[in-house]
Amino acid sequence: MARTLTILQAINEALDQEMARDSSVIVMGEDVVGGSGAEGEMDAWGGPLGVTKGLYGKYGDRMLDTPITESAFIGAAVGAAASGLRPVAELMFSDFVGVCFDQIYNQAAKFRYMFGGRAETPVVVRTMYGAGLRAAAQHSQSPYSIFTHVPGLKCVMPVTPYDAKGLLIQAIRDNDPVIFFEHKGLYETEGEVPEQSYSIPFGEANVVREGNDVSIISLGLMVHRSLEAAETLAGEGIQCEVVDLRTTSPLDEDTVLESAENTGRVVVVDEAPPRCSIATDISALIAQHAFDALEAPISLVTAPHTPVPFAGVLEDQYMPDAARIATAVRSVAGYA
Amino acid sequence: MALTKDELLKAYRLMRTIREFEERVHVEFAAGEIEGFVHLYAGEEACAVGVMLNLTKADRIASTHRGHGHCIAKGVDVPAMMAEIYGRATGSCRGKGGSMHIADLDAGMMGANGIVGGGPPLICGAALAAKVQGTRQVGVAFIGDGASNQGTTFESMNLATVWNLPAIFVAENNGYAEATAADYAIGAGSLADRAEGFGMPAATVDGHDFFAVHEAAGEAIRRARSGDGPSFIECQVNRYYGHYEGDAQTYRPPGEAEAARANHDCLDMFAGRVTKSAGIEREELDDIDRAVAALIDGAVSSAKADPAPAASEFLTDVYVDY
């Protein structure tokens, strides 16, 4: 039975169902409960945006507020994962990875390989990313390419409530470290979500709109903006195929290449800066493996190579929008 | 708690095994038989063994780049360790880890670690798992004087207190973080004072003295097991070799390591004490020495003869197989 939920509610439901199903699932992070040790109410916040609200009442000690010490608690989640638990750690903003990257990059990501296949680290790091909330340079980045670069990590970025629930359940049950990116501009996005538990396999991109003229390969919030552009372009007679990568590691190379071969014209849309990014990675993939099918140069629509600015007029320019995406598509579609 | 004769002989055998292992790796490395970065634990054996004799197999430890001693004391298979150092398919990590990453989670050994200060957060996690699952197990984070200054160590000591974790932090202060003196790099009167600032009891012991380490660790581990939270122990010790094999150690005063070896060697101290007062004969220790020498000889011969990892292993175990 499906109901309409927001992404925020879908994530909460996934955590709730997995915690109910498996007592080894614990949640930790800054204010995931909120109120620990204070004299007021517990579960005062339930996460900075209320994503984990209500879980403390059901799961008590398996919901752990942490000091603001990301190295210690992300590392503790990694150590607990290697010791039999399935921790879901919340790194409040993905920008904060700067203070705890070692525990993700040198520890969690490497245990399986470095220990000869004799270690499992089933940890999930849930983390907010993305611009658009005037949160400025240290709370607005989209650093998924940094994590995608690291062998051993899996990187997931849902854009619908259905995907958020199914991919998070998969992340929790997965026996590798998973970085689960939640765009702060998408929490209120609504969609149908089944009540029952289900999981979505990693490495399966989603063709969210079919079309034969131009492929728009995208991820995160940019999928919604790409769909918006595609709608406008359809009115102009340009039919876009929009691909939501859903996971950048593992990457569904087949779906990306099939789409590129189908249309021969490709625009890649990425909210992050352009160097060494998902956009350049997808572009290289297509150039290497679908070169003969291309009828136009691949076009990248990305943020500029700058930090995220604060002022609205600047931040709005920073993020690719439907108009910029449409302009790129028209150019690619018209290339002869 | 008085140790039985069997326990004392076990302690001696473990310390002797570590010493023999490290002395042999030193020789083999110099002969060009071993590649990569190797950090030897010789001189510090009483720290690992003094702690580990208080642990069960299920208890967990996190180690450092200088990890061979911790591995041996925690029960990691010695020939497999040697094979790992030689990069063999038969190694603890199938040749994919090397000296700095020997691990055996089944033995409760969460890995030597190439990152100074990498271990303490992991041990908070192991201790948290024990607490959540109600196992009464404990976690021990070994750090050096170098890692004692790392933010991860401070954060972890704080977290261990905040969550009242069954965690023990054991700092092996061998006087040098690589080539920089602990006296220079530690901005505090003592590590124990600093640990007390994080709200946990702390002890400072002679790290060459097995009995001192064993007693302090025993108290800390009992405390952790009974739910009374974390503790800190500083073991003051000497390392007999350089930071890494090949280190000329010109930063040390001439004769420092030799003097420690001559006057303050953990094996000599242990043997002297148990042959005087514990009813152990020197011959019993000599028998252990011979058995250990044979074990290490065998480990080196088999490591040299063992196969390198198969080419098919190159791309495996990055991710779980579904």
Side-chain angles (χ1 to χ4, degrees):
Chain A
M1 170 78 185
R3 307 91 355 117
T4 298
L5 296 184
T6 62
I7 285 186
L8 185 150
Q9 290 168 325
I11 292 169
N12 182 283
E13 185 165 281
L15 290 169
D16 190 357
Q17 290 181 352
E18 285 303 286
M19 292 186 88
R21 187 184 71 89
D22 181 351
S23 64
S24 72
V25 178
I26 62 168
V27 170
M28 62 172 80
E30 292 151 5
D31 297 309
V32 293
V33 178
S36 288
E39 290 182 14
E41 60 172 335
M42 279 295 277
D43 207 17
W45 280 19
L49 298 182
V51 175
T52 47
K53 184 91 176 162
L55 298 176
Y56 175 76
K58 292 183 180 177
Y59 305 107
D61 290 347
R62 288 161 60 203
M63 294 293 302
L64 291 154
D65 275 339
T66 66
I68 303 179
T69 54
E70 288 85 359
S71 279
F73 80 77
I74 294 293
V78 171
S83 303
L85 297 185
R86 290 188 177 273
V88 180
E90 180 172 312
L91 179 62
M92 191 183 289
F93 290 89
S94 56
D95 314 66
F96 300 170
V97 74
V99 293
C100 61
F101 199 42
D102 180 67
Q103 292 293 326
I104 296 172
Y105 167 71
N106 274 318
Q107 312 296 338
K110 294 180 171 59
F111 283 172
R112 181 185 292 281
Y113 190 88
M114 188 167 74
F115 298 161
R118 289 169 171 148
E120 305 252 281
T121 313
V123 64
V124 180
V125 178
R126 287 182 45 239
T127 189
M128 255 194 287
Y129 75 105
L133 268 73
R134 314 298 186 233
Q138 295 172 344
H139 291 70
S140 300
Q141 298 169 86
S142 296
Y144 33 63
S145 66
I146 294 172
F147 297 87
T148 304
H149 182 73
V150 181
L153 299 181
K154 293 175 177 172
C155 299
V156 182
M157 49 288 295
V159 304
T160 66
Y162 179 85
D163 283 5
K165 180 173 171 180
L167 289 169
L168 182 53
I169 289 174
Q170 173 62 33
I172 293 168
R173 295 180 188 178
D174 201 278
N175 283 332
D176 287 318
V178 178
I179 314 298
F180 191 85
F181 290 92
E182 302 170 9
H183 199 293
K184 57 179 81 70
L186 288 177
Y187 279 120
E188 296 307 318
T189 300
E190 293 187 331
E192 290 222 326
V193 179
E195 268 178 41
Q196 75 271 18
S197 180
Y198 61 95
S199 63
I200 299 172
F202 292 160
E204 292 187 6
N206 200 7
V207 179
V208 291
R209 182 185 176 106
E210 294 191 343
N212 291 318
D213 297 330
V214 176
S215 298
I216 306 178
I217 315 294
S218 188
L219 72 166
L221 178 72
M222 292 297 114
V223 173
H224 293 277
R225 295 195 171 174
S226 298
L227 285 168
E228 206 184 314
E231 193 62 33
T232 304
L233 292 160
E236 301 170 15
I238 301 172
Q239 300 302 329
C240 295
E241 181 151 282
V242 180
V243 177
D244 168 15
L245 293 175
R246 290 210 284 203
T247 65
T248 55
S249 181
L251 178 68
D252 182 356
E253 298 185 5
D254 291 347
T255 298
V256 170
L257 292 173
E258 276 164 27
S259 184
E261 283 160 0
N262 172 38
T263 61
R265 296 172 192 269
V266 179
V267 174
V268 188
V269 186
D270 182 355
E271 186 181 326
R275 303 295 315 280
C276 303
S277 64
I278 300 300
T280 53
D281 191 57
I282 296 295
S283 174
L285 175 75
I286 294 169
Q288 288 175 86
H289 300 294
F291 183 76
D292 289 342
L294 289 179
E295 294 173 34
I298 299 164
S299 177
L300 308 187
V301 182
T302 71
H305 193 66
T306 69
V308 182
F310 165 65
V313 63
L314 298 179
E315 191 185 30
D316 290 346
Q317 279 185 71
Y318 177 92
M319 297 176 78
D321 60 13
R324 273 178 63 196
I325 298 166
T327 300
V329 170
R330 286 186 201 105
S331 168
V332 166
Y335 185 89
Chain B
M1 214 179 311
L3 288 155
T4 64
K5 182 176 175 182
D6 279 353
E7 287 168 329
L8 291 170
L9 291 174
K10 179 184 178 188
Y12 181 81
R13 180 174 52 76
L14 287 170
M15 290 197 291
R16 177 59 71 189
T17 304
I18 297 169
R19 177 67 56 85
E20 191 77 19
F21 189 97
E22 298 295 62
E23 297 287 9
R24 187 62 183 270
V25 169
H26 177 72
V27 169
E28 297 293 334
F29 187 93
E33 294 282 333
I34 294 169
E35 297 180 301
F37 294 167
V38 174
H39 310 82
L40 299 182
Y41 193 71
E44 307 186 25
E45 293 85 349
C47 304
V49 177
V51 171
M52 246 66 89
L53 242 65
N54 290 286
L55 298 181
T56 67
K57 186 178 176 187
D59 291 322
R60 296 215 147 195
I61 67 162
S63 176
T64 70
H65 55 286
R66 201 173 301 290
H68 303 167
H70 304 136
C71 292
I72 291 172
K74 192 68 176 71
V76 181
D77 184 68
V78 170
M81 284 178 59
M82 191 66 84
E84 187 61 34
I85 291 168
Y86 276 81
R88 302 305 190 203
T90 48
S92 312
C93 306
R94 299 189 167 107
K96 285 175 159 176
S99 165
M100 254 190 299
H101 304 301
I102 297 173
D104 182 350
L105 273 76
D106 293 335
M109 165 61 197
M110 298 180 76
N113 209 309
I115 306 298
V116 170
L122 301 173
I123 277 304
C124 284
L128 176 66
K131 188 175 173 178
V132 168
Q133 294 169 330
T135 61
R136 293 177 60 80
Q137 290 160 13
V138 304
V140 180
F142 286 93
I143 59 172
D145 47 286
S148 79
N149 297 319
Q150 278 278 30
T152 48
T153 301
F154 298 154
E155 289 189 19
S156 298
M157 288 199 281
N158 182 64
L159 187 64
T161 296
V162 168
W163 282 350
N164 195 39
L165 294 176
I168 298 95
F169 300 88
V170 177
E172 297 168 328
N173 181 353
N174 62 24
Y176 299 95
E178 301 181 356
T180 298
D183 288 345
Y184 169 86
I186 296 171
S190 87
L191 295 183
D193 288 350
R194 198 190 250 171
E196 283 172 358
F198 286 101
M200 65 184 74
T204 305
V205 299
D206 177 358
H208 309 94
D209 180 350
F210 164 83
F211 295 96
V213 176
H214 183 266
E215 187 180 335
E219 191 178 323
I221 290 163
R222 275 192 297 281
R223 190 178 131 78
R225 279 201 213 291
S226 23
D228 294 331
S231 306
F232 179 95
I233 301 165
E234 176 189 355
C235 301
Q236 296 179 331
V237 72
N238 273 276
R239 64 162 143 86
Y240 288 172
Y241 293 109
H243 166 62
Y244 60 94
E245 282 308 271
D247 176 5
Q249 300 191 75
T250 50
Y251 49 87
R252 293 180 85 166
E256 185 183 57
E258 293 74 12
R261 223 186 241 272
N263 306 318
H264 228 71
D265 182 77
C266 61
L267 283 155
D268 291 345
M269 289 166 65
F270 184 93
R273 176 156 163 180
V274 298
T275 50
K276 265 198 211 91
S277 62
I280 291 175
E281 302 295 329
R282 181 66 236 184
E283 289 70 38
E284 293 177 88
L285 302 181
D286 292 343
D287 286 345
I288 290 174
D289 291 354
R290 277 187 290 274
V292 166
L295 170 73
I296 301 301
D297 267 345
V300 171
S301 321
S302 59
K304 286 182 176 177
D306 282 347
S312 59
E313 287 284 306
F314 181 40
L315 301 179
T316 59
D317 293 323
V318 181
Y319 296 103
V320 65
D321 293 321
Y322 288 120

